[in-house]
Structure formats: structure tokens, C-alpha cells
């Protein structure tokens, strides 16, 4: 099963439980979600930053999800995070820039060809909370 299939499968099994107000982040508010994410049948435990709902968008910590999928997480600088996943057919690099509403996805295939895609996020921005990078679950589940 490749990373795209794992993400889609795990996010299709997510469950949403009761919500209570968590905090206010400037122009938007966050709600504690109680979101659970399962990958290969095992629940992902978020130790220091749970997923949040911000203005009706579910945001998940990228390290907790992508490392569980077998990807490497590399911090380029304080405002940029690369997620790198390798399989037999290709390498996939996903670059998150804090404060941006776009994400760059680069696929490098075993024959050396490269495909770059910029994904514009609707109603969401990559952000940090408790020193953790959060991205929209909708983006994560679609990749």
C-alpha cells in the first residue's frame, strides 16, 4: 500500500467526538476536537499537540501523521518543513511553509523525471501551535 492509499484509508476511519472551546488564535478560534486518526488499524497518539478545528477546518500535527506513514520529517528552517516519503517507484517531497495557504508537492520518479504541484488550501493556512506544525486534514487525506 503506497502513502496515498494509507492516508486515504486512515482518514476515512477517523472519528469526531465532542468539542469544547480551546483557545483564540488572533482572527480565528480553535476548538478541541477529540479527533482520532488510525493508520493501519492503530490509533495515532499525539503526545503534545492534539488535532484542532479552526474555523471549521480540522488541523492535524504533520509529524505525528506522516512519521506513522513511514515518511521522514525535516525542518528546513523555523518556517519550513519537508515531508519525504520514498517507495520503489518514487520519492515524494511535501513542503509546508508556516503561514502559507499553499503547499508544494514534488514527485521524483525512479527514471529521474520530476513532477511539481502547488496545492492551494481553501480556508486554511499551515500554522504552528505548541511548536508543532499543523496542516489541514483534508490536504493530508487527499495526498
Amino acid at each position: 500500500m503506497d502513502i496515498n492509499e494509507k492516508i486515504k484509508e486512515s482518514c476515512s476511519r477517523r472519528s469526531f467526538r465532542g468539542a469544547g472551546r480551546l483557545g483564540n488564535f488572533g482572527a480565528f478560534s480553535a476548538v478541541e476536537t477529540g479527533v482520532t486518526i488510525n493508520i493501519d488499524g492503530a490509533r495515532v497518539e499525539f503526545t503534545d499537540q492534539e488535532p484542532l478545528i479552526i474555523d471549521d477546518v480540522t488541523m492535524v500535527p504533520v509529524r505525528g501523521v506522516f512519521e506513522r506513514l513511514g515518511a521522514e520529517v525535516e525542518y528546513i528552517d523555523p518556517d519550513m518543513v519537508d515531508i519525504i516519503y520514498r517507495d520503489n517507484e518514487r520519492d515524494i517531497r511535501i513542503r509546508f511553509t508556516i503561514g502559507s495557504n499553499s503547499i508544494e508537492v514534488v514527485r521524483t520518479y525512479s527514471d529521474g523525471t520530476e513532477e511539481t504541484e502547488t496545492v492551494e488550501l481553501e480556508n486554511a493556512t499551515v500554522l504552528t501551535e505548541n511548536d508543532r506544525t499543523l496542516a489541514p486534514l483534508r490536504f493530508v487525506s487527499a495526498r
Side-chain angles (χ1 to χ4, degrees):
M1 180 180 303
D2 75 7
I3 190 169
N4 296 322
E5 292 168 337
K6 283 184 178 183
I7 292 170
K8 285 178 184 175
E9 179 181 330
S10 68
C11 292
S12 69
R13 294 186 302 223
R14 68 186 183 275
S15 62
F16 296 86
R17 294 184 302 215
R21 185 145 180 89
L22 179 65
N24 191 348
F25 297 83
F28 53 88
S29 61
V31 175
E32 190 173 350
T33 64
V35 170
T36 59
I37 296 177
N38 295 298
I39 297 176
D40 293 334
R43 182 178 175 170
V44 176
E45 297 294 334
F46 298 100
T47 57
D48 53 1
Q49 178 59 57
E50 292 290 324
L52 301 173
I53 294 178
I54 300 174
D55 288 343
D56 298 323
V57 177
T58 302
M59 304 291 286
V60 295
V62 296
R63 180 179 291 277
V65 173
F66 282 102
E67 282 186 345
R68 187 64 181 257
L69 291 167
E72 299 170 30
V73 177
E74 297 178 0
Y75 286 86
I76 306 305
D77 63 38
D79 295 327
M80 204 171 285
V81 179
D82 274 1
I83 307 297
I84 300 168
Y85 178 80
R86 294 177 174 90
D87 65 22
N88 294 335
E89 299 172 16
R90 64 183 176 235
D91 290 352
I92 301 171
R93 181 179 53 81
I94 303 170
R95 177 162 285 170
F96 296 94
T97 302
I98 308 307
S100 177
N101 66 342
S102 63
I103 296 171
E104 182 182 74
V105 180
V106 179
R107 294 172 185 86
T108 305
Y109 296 91
S110 57
D111 65 2
T113 59
E114 194 170 274
E115 180 181 292
T116 301
E117 172 187 14
T118 300
V119 178
E120 298 296 326
L121 303 174
E122 290 185 34
N123 305 318
T125 304
V126 176
L127 57 93
T128 59
E129 177 63 19
N130 295 326
D131 291 327
R132 297 291 174 236
T133 302
L134 299 165
L137 178 61
R138 183 170 295 198
F139 168 81
V140 174
S141 65
R143 295 298 131 207

